[in-house]
């Protein structure tokens, strides 16, 4: 049976992965909180990205501030054009993204097998350059509001997605600042600082993980589209002419990151952008097949010299590179990899979910890669006497120093295993009668459910080996 989003949302709440923000006040649209298990999963995803992307010779890390000089967003083009087309239905009062409304219609046509009509509409959508063209498409195709069923539309208007606030006590025009809608600009404006302090040579990159904010028009689909989210971005600066080679390289690296963390490969695809931004030379998305359909997880873009040139123009400070060997001075090209930590959390959570038949019963299991699993080990003492609880708590505290560990004494061991399966804990260890005789414990594997016996003092090595690295 196809997995529904509701199943994931309710498991996420029940097991403490994700809660609605400010739930006791009725929630805040487009904002979510990471509970005890969710925060571990999110941290493990970020840690895996950080190690992979910045623990190498040619990439440096950065943590830039969320609030930046307002001119940054003029230079980047966000003030002028970081907007989505919106349309309101006058009957239901529901606001939609006009392009998403048309995409919904295309999806419907495909489901009805009307592929030609769907392709034709898709081509028109790709060609639609402004709000008026989108509006015309909605009218021509008699697209109705899914809520009210009417075509009682307002016109399509552009809506800037940046959150505005004010710096200092006075709310005046001069004090306007924005919550950053992406982390990339913090990297571009620090290009000279990082270059000079790290003494890197081109090609080299700068990676950053941090919160971004977008006042999205619609925020359905759980963590997929939220108003506050985390991004993991890396900008790789290269010599013009070498950009295509590095674009290919990063496409492959980023694909392999998902593969190596155990993502189901049939649910991943590379999708080149149908329409390129005016500055981009090439752009591709890595998409995942979510319960609601395919959606972008990561974008890999060849941004040419657009960003550094624009910041040079707006700040009056040269952002360029001098190559000793050739005595050449140039503005580097940028290959960007931009992935959502929050969206990845949703993808890894969804991808891990299985319902399996075991001895006539259904077990729910999250088959996370051990590297990503919130708890690595659960310690389950079986007998409450003869020094066994003491042995078990000591083992628990020893392992906890290195790996997040859970201790559970309550209920039959079968039920304790099921609870850990549902939390995605890859290994459970029991302490039993034999432990006191020979110092061994059992280790049960979440996926195969097979058990082995190993010396208790070998458990750290066992987990380390399974996690890899
Ligand atoms: P979309 O087309 O889905 O709005 P985008 O192309 O605007 O995404 P980018 O600006 O390339 O996205 O951002 C890079 C990554 O940041 C995306 O691939 C996604 O994983 C994440 N991201 C962007 N917007 C959101 C959001 N509103 N909520 C959660 N994650 C987001």
């Amino acid at each position: 049976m196809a997995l529904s989003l509701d199943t994931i949302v309710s498991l996420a709440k029940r097991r403490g992965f994700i809660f609605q923000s400010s739930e006791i006040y009725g929630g805040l649209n487009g904002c979510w909180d990471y509970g005890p298990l969710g925060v571990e999963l999110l941290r493990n995803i970020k840690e895996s990205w950080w190690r992979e992307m910045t623990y190498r010779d040619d990439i440096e890390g950065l943590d830039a501030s969320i609030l930046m000089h307002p001119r940054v967003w003029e230079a980047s083009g966000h003030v002028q054009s970081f907007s989505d087309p919106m349309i309101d239905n006058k009957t239901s009062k529901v606001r939609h993204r006009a392009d998403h409304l048309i995409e919904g219609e295309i999806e419907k046509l495909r489901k009805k097998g009307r592929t030609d009509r769907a392709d034709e509409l898709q081509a028109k959508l790709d060609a639609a350059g402004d709000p008026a063209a989108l509006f015309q498409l909605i009218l021509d195709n008699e697209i109705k509001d899914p809520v009210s069923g009417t075509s009682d539309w307002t016109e399509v208007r552009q809506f800037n997605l940046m959150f505005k606030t004010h710096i200092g006590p006075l709310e005046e025009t001069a004090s306007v600042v924005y919550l950053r809608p992406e982390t990339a600009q913090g990297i571009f404006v620090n290009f000279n600082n990082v270059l000079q302090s790290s003494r890197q040579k081109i090609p080299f990159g700068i990676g950053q993980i941090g919160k971004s904010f977008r006042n999205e028009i619609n925020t359905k689909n759980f963590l997929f589209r939220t108003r506050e989210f985390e991004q993991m971005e890396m900008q790789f600066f290269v010599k013009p002419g070498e950009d295509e080679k590095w674009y290919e390289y990063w496409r492959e690296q980023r694909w392999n990151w998902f593969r190596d963390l155990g993502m189901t490969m049939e649910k991943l695809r590379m999708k080149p952008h149908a329409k390129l931004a005016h500055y981009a030379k090439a752009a591709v998305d890595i998409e995942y097949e979510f319960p609601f359909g395919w959606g972008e997880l990561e974008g890999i873009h060849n941004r040419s010299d657009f960003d550094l040139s624009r910041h040079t123009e707006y700040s009056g400070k040269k952002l360029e590179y001098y190559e000793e060997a050739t005595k050449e001075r140039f503005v580097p090209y940028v290959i960007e990899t931009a992935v959502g930590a929050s969206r990845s959390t949703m993808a890894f959570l969804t991808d891990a979910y299985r319902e399996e038949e075991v001895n006539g019963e259904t077990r729910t299991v999250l088959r996370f890669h051990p590297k990503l699993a919130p708890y690595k080990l659960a310690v389950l003492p079986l007998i409450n006497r003869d020094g066994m609880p003491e042995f078990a708590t000591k083992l628990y505290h020893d392992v906890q120093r290195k790996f997040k560990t859970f201790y559970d004494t309550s209920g039959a061991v079968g039920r304790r295993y099921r609870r850990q399966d549902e939390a995605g804990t890859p290994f459970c260890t029991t302490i039993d009668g034999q432990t006191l005789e020979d110092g061994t414990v059992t280790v049960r594997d979440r996926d195969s459910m097979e058990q082995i016996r190993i010396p208790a003092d070998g458990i750290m090595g066992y987990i380390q080996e399974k996690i890899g690295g």
Side-chain angles (χ1 to χ4, degrees):
M1 208 182 69
L3 175 61
S4 82
L5 197 57
D6 288 347
T7 308
I8 297 294
V9 176
S10 79
L11 172 96
K13 170 161 185 190
R14 186 158 39 85
R15 291 312 314 255
F17 281 93
I18 312 288
F19 308 127
Q20 205 183 1
S21 159
S22 327
E23 193 187 80
I24 60 168
Y25 288 97
L28 182 68
N29 227 331
C31 300
W32 298 88
D33 297 342
Y34 290 75
L37 294 191
V39 70
E40 291 297 325
L41 176 61
L42 177 67
R43 285 176 65 106
N44 292 340
I45 290 170
K46 290 191 287 185
E47 178 66 13
S48 163
W49 185 92
W50 189 255
R51 284 185 169 271
E52 169 98 3
M53 298 297 282
T54 71
Y55 286 19
R56 40 184 284 166
D57 296 346
D58 54 359
I59 299 190
E60 304 290 341
L62 182 77
D63 190 353
S65 69
I66 288 173
L67 299 177
M68 300 178 74
H69 195 288
R71 289 277 283 167
V72 168
W73 306 109
E74 289 171 30
S76 67
H78 283 79
V79 170
Q80 209 209 336
S81 59
F82 190 60
S83 54
D84 281 336
M86 66 175 183
I87 186 166
D88 294 303
N89 184 272
K90 292 185 209 155
T91 308
S92 69
K93 308 271 185 279
V94 173
R95 177 163 288 175
H96 300 272
R97 245 178 82 168
D99 52 339
H100 286 180
L101 205 58
I102 300 168
E103 277 165 8
E105 187 67 17
I106 295 171
E107 202 57 38
K108 264 198 238 157
L109 290 168
R110 290 207 195 287
K111 280 203 183 119
K112 287 187 197 152
R114 298 174 63 190
T115 316
D116 286 356
R117 279 279 298 122
D119 288 347
E120 192 188 324
L121 188 51
Q122 182 70 58
K124 285 186 181 160
L125 175 61
D126 291 343
D130 56 23
L134 290 172
F135 189 49
Q136 202 53 51
L137 276 182
I138 290 171
L139 296 185
D140 291 350
N141 290 278
E142 295 174 3
I143 298 176
K144 298 199 167 52
D145 173 30
V147 183
S148 68
T150 70
S151 309
D152 194 10
W153 297 117
T154 61
E155 290 197 352
V156 176
R157 286 158 296 155
Q158 287 293 356
F159 171 75
N160 195 297
L161 300 184
M162 283 200 294
F163 280 100
K164 256 188 208 168
T165 186
H166 294 268
I167 214 153
L170 289 179
E171 289 198 12
E172 54 183 31
T173 326
S175 69
V176 165
V177 286
Y178 302 96
L179 301 190
R180 69 178 175 202
E182 61 173 35
T183 53
Q185 301 305 323
I187 290 180
F188 296 131
V189 300
N190 275 297
F191 173 76
N192 281 348
N193 286 336
V194 175
L195 180 66
Q196 280 152 19
S197 58
S198 68
R199 310 182 65 212
Q200 281 283 358
K201 298 220 173 342
I202 264 175
F204 81 98
I206 305 176
Q208 164 162 236
I209 298 178
K211 290 238 172 170
S212 294
F213 303 82
R214 296 182 188 180
N215 200 0
E216 299 278 3
I217 295 171
N218 292 119
T219 56
K220 54 186 181 169
N221 295 336
F222 198 32
L223 304 181
F224 183 79
R225 188 173 301 287
T226 54
R227 296 201 165 104
E228 174 177 341
F229 55 97
E230 263 183 298
Q231 290 187 308
M232 308 187 284
E233 294 199 280
M234 192 278 302
Q235 270 67 35
F236 202 72
F237 301 95
V238 304
K239 190 170 182 180
E242 293 185 356
D243 48 311
E244 282 172 25
K245 177 180 87 185
W246 284 106
Y247 175 67
E248 288 309 318
Y249 171 85
W250 282 111
R251 266 169 58 123
E252 194 183 327
Q253 292 296 306
R254 296 306 306 145
W255 179 262
N256 293 349
W257 183 73
F258 290 105
R259 182 198 63 194
D260 296 347
L261 288 175
M263 197 74 115
T264 309
M265 295 315 279
E266 296 72 46
K267 286 184 174 279
L268 276 186
R269 72 179 183 194
M270 286 267 191
K271 192 152 178 241
H273 283 201
K275 252 196 296 192
L276 283 181
H278 58 284
Y279 51 82
K281 267 187 74 182
V284 70
D285 290 338
I286 297 180
E287 292 191 338
Y288 179 77
E289 193 177 13
F290 289 97
F292 55 83
W294 291 93
E296 171 185 337
L297 273 182
E298 169 152 8
I300 298 131
H301 314 122
N302 180 344
R303 300 179 61 101
S304 71
D305 59 2
F306 175 79
D307 309 278
L308 294 183
S309 303
R310 290 278 288 202
H311 285 300
T312 299
E313 184 188 332
Y314 278 71
S315 68
K317 302 280 179 324
K318 282 197 171 143
L319 301 175
E320 50 185 33
Y321 183 78
Y322 178 71
E323 193 174 57
E324 298 272 354
T326 59
K327 309 265 181 276
E328 269 182 84
R329 196 173 281 284
F330 56 83
V331 180
Y333 269 36
V334 171
I335 308 301
E336 164 178 88
T337 72
V339 57
S342 331
R343 248 186 223 180
S344 299
T345 301
M346 177 165 164
F348 281 114
L349 186 61
T350 312
D351 202 63
Y353 187 91
R354 304 277 192 295
E355 284 176 19
E356 298 172 352
E357 278 294 303
V358 179
N359 303 330
E361 279 183 30
T362 306
R363 80 160 180 156
T364 301
V365 55
L366 293 177
R367 286 175 172 254
F368 291 125
H369 188 291
K371 227 180 230 171
L372 299 186
Y375 289 108
K376 308 301 181 209
L377 181 74
V379 176
L380 316 175
L382 294 188
I383 307 171
N384 192 18
R385 59 180 155 75
D386 301 334
M388 275 183 254
E390 291 74 16
F391 190 99
T393 42
K394 180 171 183 318
L395 182 68
Y396 163 61
H397 286 128
D398 285 350
V399 179
Q400 178 94 300
R401 271 201 289 258
K402 182 136 192 235
F403 301 111
K404 186 87 177 155
T405 306
F406 193 76
Y407 188 75
D408 189 2
T409 53
S410 66
V413 69
R415 294 204 35 207
R416 285 187 253 171
Y417 282 146
R418 292 289 176 273
R419 284 201 287 267
Q420 293 311 311
D421 288 344
E422 221 185 31
T425 309
F427 310 109
C428 289
T429 186
T430 64
I431 287 85
D432 56 15
Q434 198 179 326
T435 310
L436 291 189
E437 285 165 27
D438 62 9
T440 62
V441 292
T442 68
V443 181
R444 174 213 188 238
D445 181 275
R446 175 196 65 203
D447 299 342
S448 67
M449 291 182 286
E450 275 168 15
Q451 292 189 31
I452 54 168
R453 273 204 100 82
I454 63 168
D457 58 10
I459 199 124
M460 296 278 242
Y462 181 84
I463 299 172
Q464 187 66 62
E465 191 197 316
K466 294 287 180 180
I467 289 178

